[in-house]
Amino acid sequence: MTNEPQPDLPPASPYPPPTSPLGAPTTAPTTVSGRKDMPWLAYIAATVALMLLAWWRFATLLPTPSRMPLVLAAAAGVVLLIPAVVTFISILVGSRYRIAGIVTLTVVVTLPSVMTLAWEASHDPMPAPSLTWPAGWTALPVSRAVAGNMVTSRAVLTVNKQSAANLIAIKEGNSSSVTLEAGINVVVKSERAFASLKNMTLDVSPPVEVTWDGYRALEYDIVMHTDHGLVRQRSIRTNGTGKLACSLSYVAGERIFDNHLDAYDAIKHQFVCRPGG
């Protein structure tokens, strides 16, 4: 082993080595302010889930035609507002766009939904009619439409353990542009469609103008031809206060129909077509 002279090395530079303008290749996740951004797949899945929740909340307003502009405005607001808010937040706090987007979308969608559900739980948008059914009649559970704009109270008269007659009281939201005649035409059309499915025929009497709870009302009779004989129905409908429409129907077999008309008249005098009635 010989001691050969070593070449002189340049002194170490106090500055870091220069880097390529393209940056050094790396497989590490891109970070901003030391925070990793969420994967694209998780971002897309969460966004779709939250938007479906938002659409479900908007869709609960659709059955009410007068609220259609509100639904469209709310949907457009979400679409336009969220990207702007997310961009602002991501720049302000230095976080990645996808993380800021999910946080913002979660707040925008879930907070109003929770507040709306809480309000709906504490406010009955359509109280059921306050009725005392006649003796011998059994009240059935109150039913409501999905959108909360219609409530139905029913009672049944049982004879020999079989349903012999029904009383049906309905309160529903009604646009001021829907006339009383138009409302009855819709109901009768629905009755005919149902009868057709059951292979029944209907005879509908011309509506008679009467007064119900101080409001103009129309009353009419329907005779249903069934395989088990004739079934009769008497119905009355009126447009009350607060954009309400109210109706009462009494249905029974031909043989006993007249025997229980007094129950129909009693409920008609109790039924108040007002928001709190």
Side-chain angles (χ1 to χ4, degrees), residues 9 22 29 68 106 114 128 133 145 204 276:
L9 298 176
L22 300 178
M68 179 64 74
T106 301
V114 171
W133 302 105
V204 182

Side-chain angles (χ1 to χ4, degrees), residues 35 50 90 98 124 136 209 217 225 235 248-249 260 273:
R35 296 183 180 180
L50 289 168
S90 63
R98 296 193 291 276
D124 192 349
E209 186 169 327
H225 300 263
S235 296
L248 176 66
S249 296
H260 302 285
C273 195

Side-chain angles (χ1 to χ4, degrees), residues 7-262:
D8 294 335
L9 298 176
S13 172
Y15 303 102
T19 58
S20 168
L22 300 178
T26 178
T27 58
T30 302
T31 62
V32 173
S33 300
R35 296 183 180 180
K36 297 180 181 179
D37 200 0
M38 67 187 304
W40 272 108
L41 185 60
Y43 172 76
I44 294 173
T47 300
V48 170
L50 289 168
M51 292 307 295
L52 287 176
L53 175 62
W55 176 250
W56 172 73
R57 291 302 302 156
F58 293 152
T60 59
L61 302 176
L62 289 178
T64 307
S66 61
R67 293 183 177 179
M68 179 64 74
L70 175 62
V71 173
L72 297 178
V78 170
V79 172
L80 298 176
L81 179 63
I82 287 181
V85 173
V86 171
T87 302
F88 175 77
I89 292 177
S90 63
I91 295 174
L92 182 66
V93 303
S95 65
R96 296 299 291 172
Y97 184 87
R98 296 193 291 276
I99 292 177
I102 289 301
V103 172
T104 305
L105 187 59
T106 301
V107 173
V108 169
V109 171
T110 60
L111 184 59
S113 297
V114 171
M115 294 176 64
T116 302
L117 291 174
W119 186 90
E120 290 176 350
S122 60
H123 295 77
D124 192 349
M126 188 72 67
S130 179
L131 303 173
T132 301
W133 302 105
W137 292 77
T138 302
L140 300 178
V142 173
S143 61
R144 297 180 181 274
V146 175
N149 64 337
M150 184 172 74
V151 59
T152 303
S153 297
R154 300 172 182 266
V156 59
L157 178 67
T158 303
V159 177
N160 296 328
K161 298 183 178 181
Q162 292 185 347
S163 174
N166 289 272
L167 283 167
I168 307 164
I170 298 176
K171 287 171 61 178
E172 59 184 307
N174 182 52
S175 172
S176 58
S177 62
V178 178
T179 64
L180 189 55
E181 290 78 6
I184 288 182
N185 288 338
V186 171
V187 173
V188 171
K189 184 178 180 179
S190 176
E191 296 268 9
R192 290 190 185 279
F194 177 79
S196 178
L197 291 175
K198 299 295 183 179
N199 295 320
M200 298 186 301
T201 58
L202 299 183
D203 295 329
V204 182
S205 70
V208 176
E209 186 169 327
V210 296
T211 300
W212 181 22
D213 189 32
Y215 302 106
R216 175 177 174 267
L218 293 176
E219 194 170 41
Y220 58 97
D221 288 347
I222 295 178
V223 177
M224 293 169 268
H225 300 263
T226 73
D227 294 337
H228 305 287
L230 298 181
V231 176
R232 293 178 60 188
Q233 172 179 320
R234 178 161 296 175
S235 296
I236 187 171
R237 182 180 176 91
T238 188
N239 291 340
T241 60
K243 293 185 178 180
L244 282 180
C246 300
S247 63
L248 176 66
S249 296
Y250 163 59
V251 184
E254 172 72 18
R255 292 185 298 105
I256 67 169
F257 183 84
D258 291 336
N259 298 340
H260 302 285
L261 272 175
D262 56 341

